[in-house]
């Protein structure tokens, strides 16, 4: 599972969805505590979580395309590496935060 970049010293594991809610190479929006995230399932079946808005114009990434280890913003086609949050293609130029993810009892949990 994704190690993420958020430290585990403060926060909580939050259920985001069921494992079978997201097909391979797809994305799902997840809102918690007034914030938006995306949960991404890789072609290998691993789950990843990151901030849910493109850093260019705050467009929801949940409408984006997942291809390999990249998610593409649906508006201006900026891309991010969903494993690291690194912006990969303009106009996105600010990295996004990623979050640790684990599976437990058929659920995808995100450490927020």
């Amino acid at each position: 599972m994704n190690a993420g970049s958020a430290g585990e010293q403060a926060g909580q594991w939050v259920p985001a969805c069921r494992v079978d809610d997201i097909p391979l190479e797809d994305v799902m929006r997840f809102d918690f505590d007034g914030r938006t995230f995306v949960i991404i399932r890789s072609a290998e079946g691993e789950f990843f979580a990151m901030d849910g808005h493109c850093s260019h114009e705050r467009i929801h990434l949940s409408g984006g395309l997942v291809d390999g280890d990249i998610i593409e913003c649906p508006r201006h086609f900026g891309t991010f590496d969903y494993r690291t949050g690194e912006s990969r293609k303009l106009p996105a130029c600010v990295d996004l935060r990623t979050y640790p993810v684990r599976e437990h009892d058929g659920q995808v949990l995100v450490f927020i």
Side-chain angles (χ1 to χ4, degrees):
M1 296 308 106
N2 179 18
S5 62
E8 293 196 31
Q9 56 274 33
Q12 61 184 316
W13 286 102
V14 177
C17 62
R18 304 236 7 115
V19 169
D20 56 0
D21 286 343
I22 307 175
L24 297 176
E25 284 195 296
D26 207 354
V27 59
M28 179 177 164
R29 179 176 170 168
F30 166 61
D31 295 306
F32 178 75
D33 200 25
R35 296 167 54 198
T36 298
F37 306 88
V38 287
I39 311 300
I40 299 164
R41 190 171 191 185
S42 71
E44 298 77 32
E46 288 184 277
F47 290 92
F48 297 85
M50 63 190 297
D51 288 334
H53 294 103
C54 179
S55 57
H56 173 233
E57 286 192 358
R58 296 200 42 79
I59 301 304
H60 289 283
L61 290 174
S62 59
L65 175 68
V66 176
D67 185 22
D69 60 356
I70 298 295
I71 183 166
E72 181 180 73
C73 177
R75 174 151 308 157
H76 296 117
F77 312 111
T79 63
F80 299 89
D81 182 325
Y82 61 74
R83 297 170 191 267
T84 65
E86 178 185 2
S87 63
R88 301 290 289 277
K89 181 179 150 197
L90 293 174
C93 60
V94 176
D95 297 349
L96 297 177
R97 186 171 178 185
T98 60
Y99 301 85
V101 175
R102 70 179 183 197
E103 293 177 44
H104 180 71
D105 288 336
Q107 289 193 328
V108 177
L109 306 173
V110 179
F111 193 82
I112 300 173

